[in-house]
Amino acid sequence: MTTSWSDRLQNYADLPANMDGLAMKKYRREAHHRVFVNRSLAMEKIKCFGFDMDYTLAVYKSPEYEALGFELTVARLVSIGYPEELSSFVYDPTFPTRGLVFDTTFGNLLKVDTYGNILVCAHGFNFMRGPDIMELYPNKFIQRGDMDRFYILNTLFNLPETYLFACLVDFFSNCSRYTCCERGFKDGDLFMSFKSMFQDVRDAVDWVHFKGTLKEKTVENLEKYVVKDAKLPLLLSRMNEVAKVFLATNSDYKYTQKIMSYLFDFPHGPKSGKPHRPWQSYFDLILVDARKPLFFAEGTVLRQVDTVTGRLKIGTYTGTLHHGIVYSGGSSDIVCDLLGAKGKDIVYIGDHIFGDILKSKKRQGWRTFLVIPELAQELHVWTDKSAIFEELQSLDCFLAELYKNLDSSSNERPDISTLQKRIKKVTHDMDMCYGMMGSLFRSGSRQTLFASQVMRYADLYASSFINLLYYPFSYLFRAAHVLSPLATRNRQETDLWRPDVKRQQLRRSLSEVPTAHLLFPQTPEEITHCHDEDDDEEEEEEEEEE
C-alpha cells in the first residue's frame, strides 16, 4: 500500500534531509476559490479580523450599481447647467477599468505603470498613438506625484466617473457649439477648462453619494443592487470561533443597518437548522462613520449610536467594549485598545487600496487582505483565452532563437520586423480580451500602477474574502520565493514547454471560474487603440505613413 506525501508529512521528522529529485506537485485550490499571496501570513497568529462594508461585505452588482451612480451623476451635472444632451448618455461597463489617471490639464485618461510611464492614453474615446502622446507628454512619462494635476481613479466607486470623463470630453469635442482648445473648450466668451470640468464631476459624485438619492435608491431595491451570499454568515461564525471580528465602515448607521440586515436575512443561522441570528451578533465591535483614511491616523471622537433612533449619544465613549453596541467614529488605535490587539494581530479586509489597505498597513502595521472583484474576470480571460497566451510565449521563443548564436562580435542583424508586428498584434488581442482599457494588472508585458500597489500593500488578495472559507484557520499563506526576474523567467520557460503543464495551466476548463459571478461582460473584439510597447517610435510613424 502506497503512502501519500500528506500522510507521511504528518510527522515532520519523516521529511527527507534532501528534497532534490523528489517530484511533488503543489496542490492548488480551484482558481475562483484561491487567495493569492504577496507576503507570508500565518492565520493561526491572527487574533482579529476587521471588515469594510461597501464592496467588501456588501458587494454591489455590476454593472447595475455603476449604471445607477452614472445616471444620478449625469442628472446632477444637468441640474447645475450642463447641456441637456448629456441625459442620453448610457453607462458602458466595457470601457472603464480601475487605476486609470485623469489628467486635469489635457483631459486625458491615462493608464500608467508604477513609475509614471504611459501605457495607454485616451482623449474621450479617441485612443492616441505614440507620436501624438509624445507631443503632450515628453518620453511618454508623467510626474505621478503631481496630485494637483493627476487624479488616480482607484476605487470601484470611481468607475462611473471614469466613463463620464470620457463621455464629456467626447461630447464637447464633437459638439458644434463648442470650440476645442488644448486645455478645454470655448463657447463664445465662455471657457471651460478640463480642470473645472473635472472638479464639477467630482463635486457631482460627492453630492450623489452624500446628499443625493444613491443610497435611497439602493435600499429601495437591494435585490437589484446588492449581492446576497449565504456563505457570509457561515464564514463569520467560523471566524468568531477562533478570533474577534469587527466592522469599520465609512457609511452611516441607518444605511449600514439596512445593508447588513439584508445580507444576513436568511430563515436560518450560519447553517441550515440553526436559528437565525441578527447581523450584530457576528461582530465583537461595530464602527460606523469611521472616516477612513483619517481613521488610521488621529481619527475622530468615539461616540455611541442610539440604535433605535440612529442618532449619536452626547459625549465621548470612554467605557469598555460591550458586545452589540454600535459606535461612531473612533480610530485604529481605539480599535486595538478595545479588542486588546496590536498591529500584526489584525487582518483588515477591504476593497479600497488607499483608504483600507495602504493606510492600515503603513500607519498601523495591520496585515491586509484586498478584495478585487475584477479578479474573477481576469481569471476567466486567463482560462478562456489560453491560446493567445500560448502564442505569445511561442513568439518569445522564436525571438530568442533568432539571436541564439549571436554575441557582441556578430555583425549579423536578424530581420525581426515581421515577428515584432505579430507580437504587437497578439499582445493587443490579449489586452482587448479584458476590455477597451485592457487588463487591470498589465498592459502588454508591463505591470500597471494598480498592480504594483496591490503587490506593495496587500499581503493577501482575492476576488472575494469569502474564499477564506476554503482554507483552515491554521493555514500558512506563503509567498513564492522569487530571487529575481531571471529566476521567475527561467521557471516559467521550463514549465511552459512541458505539455502536461501547458494543459494544466493554460487549458483549464472554463467551468472552474463560474461566469455567473463575473463583474464585467465580454468586451468588443475590434482594435480600438494600440497599447504601448518597448519599440521604436519611428516604427509607429512609418506604419501610420503606410
Side-chain angles (χ1 to χ4, degrees), residues 107-142:
N108 297 324
L109 283 168
L110 307 171
K111 189 176 184 179
V112 302
D113 66 13
T114 187
Y115 306 106
N117 296 300
I118 297 174
L119 307 173
V120 179
C121 176
H123 188 74
F125 297 117
N126 174 39
F127 288 84
M128 299 171 66
R129 305 285 294 193
D132 298 324
I133 297 173
M134 288 282 284
E135 287 184 15
L136 298 178
Y137 308 96
N139 300 316
K140 289 187 179 179
F141 176 81
I142 64 169

Side-chain angles (χ1 to χ4, degrees), residues 264-299:
F264 289 83
D265 183 21
F266 297 99
H268 53 77
K271 294 181 180 179
S272 297
K274 297 284 186 179
H276 171 77
R277 290 166 52 185
W279 70 267
Q280 294 91 336
S281 67
Y282 292 89
F283 298 93
D284 296 278
L285 173 63
I286 301 168
L287 290 163
V288 297
D289 301 310
R291 294 187 62 188
K292 295 172 289 182
L294 183 65
F295 175 83
F296 294 109
E298 63 270 24

Side-chain angles (χ1 to χ4, degrees), residues 492-537:
Q492 288 174 343
E493 289 178 351
T494 301
D495 286 347
L496 283 168
W497 283 105
R498 287 171 49 201
D500 59 323
V501 176
K502 275 189 184 180
R503 285 192 294 272
Q504 293 162 8
Q505 293 185 352
L506 299 178
R507 296 176 181 170
R508 291 173 291 178
S509 169
L510 183 59
S511 63
E512 291 186 16
V513 182
T515 54
H517 299 297
L518 296 181
L519 287 185
F520 302 116
Q522 280 293 336
T523 53
E525 295 180 0
E526 67 269 20
I527 296 176
T528 56
H529 61 94
C530 181
H531 286 281
D532 181 44
E533 284 296 315
D534 294 319
D535 52 12
D536 291 333
E537 296 300 336

Side-chain angles (χ1 to χ4, degrees), residues 45-49 243-246 284-285 319-321 331-346 366:
K45 293 184 179 180
I46 299 304
K47 297 179 181 177
C48 300
F49 292 97
K244 293 179 179 177
V245 181
F246 70 92
D284 296 278
L285 173 63
T320 57
L321 178 64
S331 68
S332 52
D333 286 331
I334 291 175
V335 168
C336 291
D337 291 341
L338 289 174
L339 296 176
K342 55 187 179 183
K344 295 191 184 302
D345 297 336
I346 300 172
W366 288 6

Side-chain angles (χ1 to χ4, degrees), residues 6 100 183 211 234 417 420 464 476 503 518 530 542:
S6 59
L100 300 183
R183 303 196 175 199
K211 297 180 181 179
L234 175 60
S417 57
Q420 276 184 303
S464 169
L476 173 61
R503 285 192 294 272
L518 296 181
C530 181
E542 288 173 6

Side-chain angles (χ1 to χ4, degrees), residues 138-189:
N139 300 316
K140 289 187 179 179
F141 176 81
I142 64 169
Q143 292 288 346
R144 196 166 56 79
D146 185 358
M147 304 305 289
D148 290 333
R149 176 177 175 181
F150 300 107
Y151 184 81
I152 304 175
L153 298 150
N154 246 353
T155 76
L156 288 160
F157 283 118
N158 289 139
L159 289 175
E161 66 191 277
T162 300
Y163 183 62
L164 183 53
F165 285 135
C167 287
L168 291 173
V169 171
D170 181 74
F171 172 80
F172 288 116
S173 297
N174 293 290
C175 184
S176 59
R177 300 197 305 271
Y178 298 90
T179 304
C180 295
C181 305
E182 185 178 55
R183 303 196 175 199
F185 306 98
K186 287 195 71 174
D187 179 11
D189 294 330

Side-chain angles (χ1 to χ4, degrees), residues 363-433:
R363 292 185 174 176
Q364 291 295 337
W366 288 6
R367 308 309 302 270
T368 52
F369 185 121
L370 182 65
V371 175
I372 309 175
E374 302 99 321
L375 199 56
Q377 170 72 345
E378 299 274 333
L379 291 170
H380 167 63
V381 172
W382 173 254
T383 56
D384 193 40
K385 305 296 181 181
S386 60
I388 299 178
F389 291 96
E390 280 193 77
E391 182 177 359
L392 197 56
Q393 290 286 341
S394 299
L395 290 170
D396 283 341
C397 292
F398 285 130
L399 184 63
E401 282 292 314
L402 290 176
Y403 288 100
K404 183 172 67 174
N405 298 316
L406 305 180
D407 60 19
S408 57
S409 67
S410 305
N411 293 321
E412 180 183 348
R413 184 180 179 183
D415 181 6
I416 61 172
S417 57
T418 303
L419 193 57
Q420 276 184 303
K421 289 179 181 179
R422 185 60 187 168
I423 289 174
K424 187 181 292 186
K425 170 68 166 60
V426 175
T427 299
H428 186 73
D429 290 346
M430 179 179 69
D431 288 338
M432 286 290 92
C433 293

Side-chain angles (χ1 to χ4, degrees), residues 53 215-216 219 222 249-262 279-280 286-289 305-312 326-328:
M53 184 180 75
K215 291 181 178 178
E216 179 183 330
V219 298
L222 289 168
T249 175
N250 284 355
S251 294
D252 61 83
Y253 173 70
K254 288 185 177 179
Y255 184 70
T256 301
Q257 165 67 14
K258 290 176 180 178
I259 293 291
M260 296 298 287
S261 295
Y262 174 73
W279 70 267
Q280 294 91 336
I286 301 168
L287 290 163
V288 297
D289 301 310
V305 178
D306 185 329
T307 55
V308 177
T309 64
R311 296 177 180 175
L312 303 182
V326 178
Y327 303 90
S328 172

